[in-house]
Amino acid sequence: MGNTCRFVVNAVGKKGETYYTQLNTKKELENWITDHQDKLLMDELKIVDKKLPPFLKWFLNK
């Protein structure tokens, strides 16, 4: 079986750290962001929702 995660998070920390994590639910995502918020540059936070319909992805990338 392949990886079944829904959200992929790429982030940069305030001291130059790179964070990469995969989460299954929105609640896990919210908890992870809350736990790491003081360490992250929030403007460098990128979250990819793998289950977002392709039509919406096209509009959100514009």
Side-chain angles (χ1 to χ4, degrees), residues 31-50:
N31 289 339
W32 188 89
I33 292 172
T34 304
D35 292 343
H36 294 87
Q37 190 170 12
D38 58 331
K39 300 176 191 173
L40 300 175
L41 294 172
M42 296 307 285
D43 57 334
E44 295 291 328
L45 182 66
K46 293 180 179 53
I47 301 169
V48 176
D49 185 352
K50 290 179 146 187

Side-chain angles (χ1 to χ4, degrees), residues 10-34:
N10 288 310
V12 177
K14 291 181 179 176
K15 296 181 182 178
E17 309 94 355
T18 302
Y19 294 91
Y20 176 82
T21 189
Q22 299 175 348
L23 304 161
N24 292 322
T25 64
K26 191 170 186 176
K27 185 69 175 170
E28 287 178 0
L29 176 64
E30 291 169 355
N31 289 339
W32 188 89
I33 292 172
T34 304

